[in-house]
Amino acid sequence: MMLNMMAVLSSYLNLVLLATVSTIENDYAFNRMSGITRYLYGNLPSFEIAGYVTFVLVFLLSALVYKLGFAKKLSIGRNIIIYTFLFVGCIVLTFLALYLPMIEGLIISALILIVYKSRLWREKRGEAKQA
């Protein structure tokens, strides 16, 4: 009887220690995350939803940066292929976005390209008025 109680107490202690270790590891991983990713994982209802939102943000921002900076006029089939490969590549970028500031970098890249495109548009409009 005493041996049985000690086994139960020992297994309970192991569960408590395991919960403590996993909590410490979770806190360590959470504290190492980049800013926006940490915000998403801290405020969304589950880690699964936060992962999907992180992936969608990375994909949308990557597509925006591609469109603003690198896209040429292509046929619809070629665009589908390019965005499919961009989608697959963003899976890897999502894993990097957990601990590196990928989302923040994509936001800054998009802002720089928006400013560049707006100045280019204004410059072309000014040249058209002069001609």
Side-chain angles (χ1 to χ4, degrees), residues 28-78:
Y28 177 73
F30 184 75
N31 289 333
R32 292 194 54 204
M33 286 183 175
S34 65
I36 293 176
T37 308
R38 182 182 318 140
Y39 177 80
L40 291 174
Y41 275 84
N43 293 321
L44 289 176
S46 71
F47 289 158
E48 186 175 334
I49 293 172
Y52 286 125
V53 169
T54 303
F55 174 74
V56 167
L57 276 175
V58 168
F59 176 70
L60 291 177
L61 288 169
S62 296
L64 179 66
V65 168
Y66 167 73
K67 183 73 175 159
L68 288 172
F70 308 104
K72 305 247 184 223
K73 292 199 179 204
L74 299 172
S75 67
I76 194 103
R78 288 182 180 171

